[in-house]
Amino acid sequence: MSSEAPRKASYADVLAAPANMVTEVLGGTLYTQPRPALRHARATSVLLGELEPGFGRGRGGPGGWTILVEPELHLGSDPDIVVPDLAGWRLTTLPELPDAAYLAVAPDWVCEILSPSTRRMDRVLKMALYRREAVTHVWLVDPEAKTLEVFRLDGETYRVLETHAENASVHAEPFEASELHLGAMWLK
């Protein structure tokens, strides 16, 4: 019987993972998932298409953001390595995108697209990490339930601001300057 503590996963483990997997390290544990299914990919693509023109490029909206799909983030002193489905930084937080493989700057907004295999990790482990790193806004999109939950950090906890469903058109923080049409995200 060994009394050694289990080895903590590291960035080397992420680099050694198969390329077709999304690989993250949360609390020293390595998590791998296959690339997202089409329902998930559709929601991510449509949401990016709704947000990027007005907020990333300032076309028909206020601009002032950098929004990325599946950026690799190294957060914390013994870094957790997390890959949110979408993440956004105000230009005041991240004035310039570095030429690097990952970012160590916590985003101002993240969106996780829930799937059966990641739902628990997104809601429990990642939400705790985002809270620790003071990510102000978190969206949870569930393509199966056809819902959007909007959270804002309120002190040390997240508060649910809104929950929307089906084909609603919404103005959701922090992108309330533009109308978002949820129905376009769901597979028919």
Side-chain angles (χ1 to χ4, degrees):
M1 185 166 126
S2 174
S3 62
E4 288 184 36
R7 184 181 74 80
K8 291 178 81 171
S10 69
Y11 191 46
D13 296 308
V14 171
L15 295 175
N20 65 330
M21 303 295 277
V22 176
T23 308
E24 300 173 295
V25 176
L26 302 170
T29 301
L30 185 71
Y31 294 89
T32 59
Q33 298 89 31
R35 302 299 312 167
L38 294 180
R39 182 182 309 268
H40 185 286
R42 165 93 181 167
T44 303
S45 298
V46 169
L47 189 53
L48 178 66
E50 291 271 333
L51 296 175
E52 174 58 27
F55 293 93
R57 289 178 276 157
R59 292 185 185 159
W65 287 80
T66 296
I67 300 172
L68 299 175
V69 175
E70 294 187 350
E72 184 176 305
L73 307 177
H74 293 214
L75 302 174
S77 58
D78 184 13
D80 287 297
I81 300 168
V82 63
V83 181
D85 294 304
L86 290 166
W89 294 259
R90 287 185 166 89
L91 294 182
T92 54
T93 302
L94 186 69
E96 187 174 303
L97 196 61
D99 184 16
Y102 61 84
L103 283 165
V105 177
D108 296 297
W109 166 82
V110 295
C111 178
E112 294 290 356
I113 311 295
L114 305 179
S115 63
S117 63
T118 65
R119 182 174 280 112
R120 184 177 185 278
M121 185 170 67
D122 291 339
R123 286 190 173 282
V124 178
L125 300 175
K126 288 186 173 184
M127 287 288 284
L129 180 142
Y130 297 146
R131 183 178 64 246
R132 181 192 79 202
E133 296 299 317
V135 175
T136 308
H137 295 90
V138 175
W139 288 8
L140 297 179
V141 173
D142 188 334
E144 287 185 12
K146 299 180 180 177
T147 59
L148 164 65
E149 295 172 272
V150 179
F151 297 85
R152 182 188 329 126
L153 191 60
D154 189 7
E156 293 189 20
T157 61
Y158 280 109
R159 181 166 56 96
V160 178
L161 297 180
E162 309 169 281
T163 301
H164 302 283
E166 299 291 334
N167 296 320
S169 293
V170 303
H171 294 267
E173 280 189 22
F175 304 112
E176 64 271 18
S178 292
E179 189 171 57
L180 174 64
H181 305 282
L182 297 186
M185 287 195 287
W186 321 132
L187 283 179
K188 306 297 182 222

